[in-house]
Amino acid sequence: MTERFSIGQLGQRTGCKVVTIRYYERIGLLDEPDRGEGGHRIYERAHLDRLSFIRRARDLGFSHEDIRSLLTLSTGPAAGPCQAVDHVAADHLEAVRAKISDLRRLEKTLVSVLGQCGRTTVDACCVLDALRAPSAEDGARLAFVSAV
C-alpha cells in the first residue's frame, strides 16, 4: 500500500509550514499532488522525499533557483558525473564565504563604533551618529545585514 499524507501530515514530517508547501507547489519546486474527494491534497512518498530535499537545501542557504537546478540534476542518470552538482555547490560556497567576510567587516565596524561611544547623551552618541550618516561602504554593509 502506498503511503499517503495530508498537507498537514506532510508539513509535520518535514518541518515545513502548510503555506510554504503551497508556495513550493506554486513556484514549481514541488509537484502538485492529486486531490481526493472534497478537493483535499493527497501527497505521496515522492512528495515527502522531494520536500525533505528542498527543506535541507534551504537550511543550507541554497536559493530556489539553485534548488531547482539540483532537483533537475538529481533526476538525471544515476551513474552520470556530478560535476554540475559540484559547480552549483561551489558557487553557493563562494557566496556564503563572501557573506561571512561581509559580516566580519560589519562586526569590526560595530565594535569600533561601540568602542568610541563615551555613553554620554543621545545627542553625542557615536552609534546614532554612525547610523545617521553612514559612509557608502557602511551603508552597503548595513543594507546587507538587513537582507540577511
Side-chain angles (χ1 to χ4, degrees), residues 52-133:
S52 295
F53 181 98
I54 294 166
R55 173 68 192 243
R56 180 70 179 134
R58 289 297 295 149
D59 287 346
L60 292 172
F62 284 96
S63 70
H64 292 144
E65 286 309 309
D66 285 345
I67 295 169
R68 190 179 315 282
S69 295
L70 292 168
L71 286 166
T72 299
L73 292 165
S74 73
T75 59
C82 69
Q83 285 121 341
V85 174
D86 291 347
H87 180 72
V88 172
D91 285 351
H92 181 59
L93 177 59
E94 186 177 322
V96 167
R97 286 179 172 157
K99 287 178 186 177
I100 290 170
S101 178
D102 287 343
L103 286 170
R104 285 189 177 130
R105 281 194 299 273
L106 179 58
E107 177 187 32
K108 187 175 179 180
T109 300
L110 289 170
V111 166
S112 174
V113 168
L114 284 169
Q116 295 171 24
C117 186
R119 291 172 182 48
T120 55
T121 64
V122 170
D123 286 343
C125 180
C126 292
V127 174
L128 293 177
D129 287 345
L131 294 173
R132 286 185 189 112

